[in-house]
Amino acid sequence: AGCEAEVFRALAALRREAEAAGIAMADLAIQWVLARPGIGVALTGARTPAEIEANARALEKKADPALIERMTVLSEEVKAKLGPNPDMWMNTAQSRYR
């Protein structure tokens, strides 16, 4: 079974948090990734120069550290459903993350 319901619940809650903070969800996602221990770079995608500029501006309005922590908490249900194997296309025996 997939985790679509959990993903949609988490996204709705994350969207409410981002809107309340006045920060775009994409910006908040970049900030969350960079706040993770051991992460120094966030790889982002862009199809247009405007999207590249928007990604570069993601750190202009810093999110409150408490909001970053809430993002982690709001994603726990999804992480629990996916399990410990981050390699979604491989079963645990085949995963490179053993």
Side-chain angles (χ1 to χ4, degrees):
C3 62
E4 292 84 3
E6 293 83 359
V7 167
F8 288 126
R9 273 194 298 275
L11 285 173
L14 291 167
R15 183 169 288 111
R16 285 190 299 272
E17 293 282 346
E19 288 173 356
I23 301 173
M25 279 193 56
D27 294 357
L28 200 51
I30 292 169
Q31 290 185 39
W32 181 84
V33 166
L34 292 173
R36 306 285 32 102
I39 302 293
V41 175
L43 300 177
T44 62
R47 290 175 284 198
T48 66
E51 289 176 355
I52 293 169
E53 291 172 8
N55 288 339
R57 288 191 305 267
L59 301 177
E60 286 180 0
K61 182 173 183 179
K62 286 286 202 177
D64 184 287
L67 173 54
I68 297 294
E69 181 55 33
R70 279 196 307 279
M71 291 179 66
T72 301
V73 171
L74 291 171
S75 65
E76 289 299 326
E77 183 182 21
V78 175
K79 289 187 286 186
K81 181 78 178 222
L82 289 173
N85 183 3
D87 199 344
M88 64 189 283
W89 305 115
M90 300 289 181
N91 64 35
T92 302
Q94 296 171 321
S95 175
R96 57 194 159 165
Y97 299 102
R98 289 191 264 158

